[in-house]
Amino acid sequence: MAFPDKGPELDLSTIRPIQMKKPVRHSKSMYRSICMPSETQTYSLCIAYMRQWFLEKFNPNTFKTIYLNDKHVFDEVRTSSPLQIIKRDRPALAITPAINWDFDNDGLDIYQYGLDTYSQMGLYKRSFMKDPTHSVYLGIGMKTIMMEFQYRIIVDTRAEQLDIYNIIKMAHRLRTSDGDDLDLDFHVPYPIMLQIAKDCGFEIVQSSDPNDYPKICDIPKFLRYLNTYSDIPFMYKHRTLNGKFEFFIRMQHVHAHIKPTGLNADDGDTTGHLKTRYGIEFTAEVRFPAPKMYAYYSENEHNLHKLYSPGGASDGRVTSIYTFKETLIPDVNHYGWPLYLHTTYEVEPEDLDKPLVLDFHELLEGDILRAAHDTVAQAISPSIFIELLVINGSQKLTGKMDWESFTFTSNQPITVEGSFIGLYIDMAHVHNVSIHTDGMIDNRIERSKEEET
């Protein structure tokens, strides 16, 4: 077999290196973090919406008692009188929410990639906040949760049962679907906001509490910056879950889909020859929008919390989803008296921007109330052993005390509906009054006296 000629040999001495220019980079090299917000915010929003959705079909005073299951155990004590707790006025409504833990939105919300892969899925290009000057980008990924609600109604008569049953059947469109476009506040985890402020040169100071998060000094200026570069409005609002001001975005025109699933009525309870306690049970499910994650990108190195939850904060614990978090009232006042009790007091919305008028007579009982009455009878102020601390909107209220009626009237108008109350008692004074008044030194046993109420 014949082979072709190889041709002339290559002269290596003639080869010269080629000078190549440095390639132009058309992309940015940035650090990224995935931060998942607390699910509690969405859970609370969904419950509040479904409560309103059901009740708005009725007249305002149709139900005398409304009970929301899973709310804080002391919420009934805060908003109801002892008689209302023992006996429920009817018609009574009980709302029971439940999360569908297996719901994945027909496979759209299946988690199979991991956090690193999620951060590379283009949230940088689809960020709702873009600041190319500081190379700061914030994106959000959405999901849908499903919750199921049971509305249980108890009435006294068959007539009431028939009327309410018919209203539900017609107004709530049984076995069809309903929905609304909503504007919702979505909470933005505070570590993200701190990192944005740091990367953009805003002043940050450490809180006096070493366990608390640092503080951003100029909030109005920072908010103005956020809303300049964001497609979604940022707000700085009071978060009732932990009693602090935090950052929220207002997500507009998101859809909630409701599907009523069942309506039943019973034949009531039989007591002797009488029928009473007629029941109605209505069920519905809702698909509700929720933030799945936030993706933060910047050129500065950062490693944000993978999961942010107010329950994990070192300065407090979650006490309720529906009411205010318990504020930090000192255990001892400036006189050295211990905290006798602390509670909350809530006013109606129409009482806002007015001085607070608080009747705290019910907080005093037994020997303490008797010692207060004895002191007033001697024309001496009970303030020598009783001090009342009232906090509204993170501000300590000052005011006048009427010891005849045990009523406190604040000098300042209140700004929020809920107030925190702390009562300090000099128990040494109370015990001394009891010892001398009851003659405890003269005997070692006697019949108990009824406590003064």
Side-chain angles (χ1 to χ4, degrees):
M1 181 176 181
F3 294 94
D5 295 338
K6 295 181 178 179
E9 293 184 0
L10 180 64
D11 186 1
L12 298 179
S13 63
T14 63
I15 298 177
R16 297 289 183 268
I18 299 175
Q19 299 294 330
M20 299 187 66
K21 296 181 180 180
K22 186 177 180 181
V24 179
R25 298 179 62 91
H26 294 282
S27 61
K28 295 183 178 182
S29 177
M30 294 184 294
Y31 292 91
R32 63 184 183 270
S33 289
I34 292 292
C35 196
M36 290 179 287
S38 172
E39 195 85 349
T40 305
Q41 172 78 6
T42 306
Y43 180 77
S44 178
L45 287 174
C46 185
I47 292 176
Y49 168 68
M50 290 300 290
R51 181 182 186 272
Q52 177 185 356
W53 171 81
F54 183 81
L55 292 176
E56 67 185 3
K57 307 294 195 301
F58 297 90
N59 292 327
N61 298 322
T62 299
F63 300 103
K64 307 302 181 183
T65 301
I66 300 176
Y67 176 76
L68 184 61
N69 196 25
D70 287 342
K71 65 180 177 180
H72 195 268
V73 64
F74 291 125
D75 194 54
E76 291 292 302
V77 179
R78 181 177 62 86
T79 58
S80 304
S81 66
L83 181 60
Q84 290 175 327
I85 295 176
I86 297 174
K87 182 180 179 180
R88 302 289 183 178
D89 294 331
R90 290 191 284 268
L93 169 65
I95 305 174
T96 304
I99 298 179
N100 188 333
W101 298 100
D102 299 326
F103 178 74
D104 60 10
N105 198 18
D106 299 326
L108 297 177
D109 293 332
I110 295 179
Y111 303 96
Q112 56 186 357
Y113 304 112
L115 294 178
D116 291 337
T117 305
Y118 273 121
S119 64
Q120 303 174 26
M121 291 177 60
L123 291 180
Y124 153 65
K125 296 181 180 180
R126 295 183 288 110
S127 298
F128 66 89
M129 178 191 169
K130 310 179 187 71
D131 180 7
T133 303
H134 297 94
S135 296
V136 168
Y137 301 85
L138 180 62
I140 185 174
M142 298 293 294
K143 67 177 182 179
T144 302
I145 66 171
M146 175 180 282
M147 293 189 64
E148 299 165 353
F149 286 81
Q150 180 190 66
Y151 303 87
R152 177 69 175 169
I153 302 171
I154 300 295
V155 296
D156 288 325
T157 65
R158 175 73 80 177
E160 289 179 302
Q161 183 191 44
L162 292 172
D163 290 342
I164 294 179
Y165 183 96
N166 189 55
I167 292 174
I168 295 176
K169 185 177 181 180
M170 298 294 293
H172 293 89
R173 304 174 63 186
L174 185 64
R175 295 184 179 87
T176 60
S177 61
D178 196 0
D180 281 316
D181 288 335
L182 306 174
D183 296 346
L184 303 176
D185 284 351
F186 287 158
H187 177 252
V188 184
Y190 200 68
I192 288 181
M193 307 312 299
L194 284 176
Q195 189 64 42
I196 294 176
K198 178 181 178 182
D199 292 341
C200 297
F202 286 88
E203 183 181 359
I204 299 175
V205 296
Q206 181 65 45
S207 173
S208 57
D209 184 356
N211 297 321
D212 199 359
Y213 281 118
K215 306 296 183 183
I216 302 172
C217 293
D218 195 342
I219 294 295
K221 183 178 179 180
F222 184 54
L223 269 179
R224 186 165 55 252
Y225 161 78
L226 292 173
N227 286 311
T228 299
Y229 294 100
S230 176
D231 298 331
I232 302 175
F234 273 88
M235 297 173 293
Y236 188 65
K237 303 173 68 175
H238 184 265
R239 193 180 187 198
T240 57
L241 179 63
N242 57 9
K244 295 183 177 181
F245 282 87
E246 297 198 22
F247 293 91
F248 295 81
I249 58 174
R250 174 57 64 90
M251 190 70 73
Q252 298 174 312
H253 302 292
V254 290
H255 190 73
H257 183 265
I258 305 170
K259 181 182 178 181
T261 56
L263 178 62
N264 299 290
D266 60 27
D267 293 328
D269 297 340
T270 303
T271 304
H273 296 284
L274 299 177
K275 285 273 192 176
T276 185
R277 290 180 55 85
Y278 292 88
I280 302 173
E281 183 177 300
F282 173 65
T283 56
E285 63 182 29
V286 57
R287 298 189 180 198
F288 202 79
K292 178 167 60 177
M293 69 184 80
Y294 290 93
Y296 178 67
Y297 303 83
S298 72
E299 291 184 341
N300 296 324
E301 184 176 359
H302 56 81
N303 183 20
L304 302 178
H305 298 250
K306 298 301 182 185
L307 176 64
Y308 174 77
S309 174
S314 58
D315 61 341
R317 61 191 184 281
V318 176
T319 59
S320 174
I321 294 175
Y322 316 102
T323 57
F324 289 99
K325 176 187 176 295
E326 181 181 61
T327 190
L328 294 178
I329 296 178
D331 293 329
V332 180
N333 68 353
H334 58 287
Y335 294 122
W337 302 344
L339 180 64
Y340 177 71
L341 62 83
H342 55 89
T343 184
T344 58
Y345 182 77
E346 190 166 330
V347 300
E348 298 297 330
E350 55 266 22
D351 294 328
L352 293 177
D353 300 323
K354 300 177 182 178
L356 175 67
V357 179
L358 172 64
D359 181 3
F360 65 98
H361 189 276
E362 295 183 358
L363 301 180
L364 306 177
E365 59 182 2
D367 292 339
I368 298 175
L369 183 60
R370 184 178 62 175
H373 283 160
D374 290 345
T375 307
V376 172
Q378 300 175 40
I380 300 175
S381 171
S383 60
I384 61 174
F385 69 96
I386 298 176
E387 182 181 34
L388 188 70
L389 173 64
V390 182
I391 298 177
N392 180 269
S394 302
Q395 179 185 8
K396 179 181 177 181
L397 299 183
T398 60
K400 299 179 180 178
M401 191 78 70
D402 183 355
W403 291 109
E404 294 287 343
S405 60
F406 294 94
T407 302
F408 170 81
T409 304
S410 66
N411 295 328
Q412 308 94 333
I414 56 176
T415 57
V416 296
E417 296 177 18
S419 300
F420 300 97
I421 301 172
L423 185 65
Y424 297 89
I425 304 292
D426 181 6
M427 293 305 298
H429 177 88
V430 175
H431 295 327
N432 286 334
V433 171
S434 299
I435 290 173
H436 290 87
T437 303
D438 296 338
M440 297 180 183
I441 299 178
D442 301 331
N443 56 64
R444 64 175 189 174
I445 184 172
E446 67 173 353
R447 296 183 182 275
S448 299
K449 301 180 177 65
E450 293 185 2
E451 292 186 350
E452 182 176 356
T453 60

